[in-house]
């Protein structure tokens, strides 16, 4: 629960408490560092606020489990980051741009067994989006080697 002032729809000056009443985040002029909890007292966010927006090194959680660890800029994933599945397995490592995966390595698991690793490359053009996935299979249970391209008109 947040007690305090808002500015332009953002938490600005005040304190946030978890359901047990523990102080978990304090903001002054939109700046602070701490943790954010959901309705059922599950942690959902740990990191910095700058000017009322999530910034810098961040950890996101879902159901109390880490799902993202990396950089934020202007309230979105931006820069280096790692994404995890619900079992805690790393599924993407690379760069994000404006909240989207940009380039890096996709990793796919099935029942904790590595299926494949793939290079991931994404670019936006004036009216389209192009994603290239290059599967380089060296450690998986399959013997794969291919490239796939996805184009969308925006």
């Amino acid at each position: 629960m947040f007690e305090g002032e808002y500015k332009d729809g953002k938490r600005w000056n005040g304190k946030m408490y978890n359901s047990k009443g523990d102080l978990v985040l304090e903001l002054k002029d939109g700046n602070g560092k701490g943790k954010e909890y959901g309705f059922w007292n599950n942690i959902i966010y740990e990191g910095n606020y700058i000017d009322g927006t999530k910034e810098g090194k961040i950890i996101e959680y879902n159901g109390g489990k880490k799902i993202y660890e990396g950089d934020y800029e202007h309230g979105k994933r931006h820069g280096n980051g790692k994404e995890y599945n619900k079992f805690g397995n790393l599924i993407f490592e690379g760069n994000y741009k404006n909240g989207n995966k940009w380039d890096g390595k996709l990793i796919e698991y099935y029942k904790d067994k590595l299926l494949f690793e793939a290079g991931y490359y994404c670019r936006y053009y004036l009216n389209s989006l192009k994603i290239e996935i290059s599967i380089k299979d060296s450690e998986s249970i399959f013997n794969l080697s291919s490239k796939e391209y996805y184009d969308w008109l925006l």
Side-chain angles (χ1 to χ4, degrees):
M1 174 176 60
F2 182 75
E3 294 178 354
E5 303 170 14
Y6 287 80
K7 180 179 177 183
D8 299 324
K10 299 177 184 177
R11 296 179 183 125
W12 200 252
N13 285 310
K15 297 177 180 179
M16 182 178 286
Y17 301 90
N18 65 16
S19 64
K20 297 175 185 174
D22 301 323
L23 178 66
V24 293
L25 175 66
E26 188 168 2
L27 295 176
K28 177 139 177 75
D29 297 328
N31 301 317
K33 181 176 182 166
K35 299 176 182 179
E36 193 173 317
Y37 289 82
F39 183 75
W40 298 106
N41 202 37
N42 287 334
I43 187 169
I44 56 174
Y45 166 82
E46 182 176 359
N48 301 309
Y49 277 88
I50 298 174
D51 293 329
T53 304
K54 295 173 183 173
E55 289 281 331
K57 298 292 181 193
I58 304 296
I59 301 174
E60 292 178 0
Y61 299 87
N62 187 355
K65 296 181 180 184
K66 180 169 54 174
I67 58 168
Y68 175 78
E69 182 173 20
D71 298 326
Y72 254 65
E73 189 174 293
H74 305 295
K76 296 180 182 178
R77 294 177 182 182
H78 191 89
N80 292 319
K82 295 178 180 180
E83 190 172 334
Y84 301 88
N85 65 15
K86 64 182 178 181
F87 303 109
N89 296 320
L90 180 67
I91 57 173
F92 179 78
E93 181 174 15
N95 294 302
Y96 289 79
K97 188 171 183 179
N98 294 319
N100 299 302
K101 292 178 180 88
W102 196 247
D103 58 36
K105 180 170 60 171
L106 288 172
I107 305 161
E108 185 66 38
Y109 290 89
Y110 176 73
K111 294 185 178 180
D112 288 334
K113 290 199 181 266
L114 178 67
L115 293 180
F116 67 85
E117 292 185 5
Y120 184 90
Y121 177 84
C122 173
R123 292 295 179 262
Y124 291 95
Y125 298 97
L126 184 59
N127 293 314
S128 67
L129 165 67
K130 181 173 184 151
I131 296 177
E132 175 185 322
I133 299 176
S134 302
I135 299 174
K136 296 179 178 109
D137 180 49
S138 59
E139 300 178 21
S140 76
I141 62 174
F142 297 112
N143 186 13
L144 303 171
S145 184
S146 69
K147 269 191 181 182
E148 295 183 35
Y149 298 92
Y150 301 92
D151 291 305
W152 287 277
L153 292 176
L154 301 177

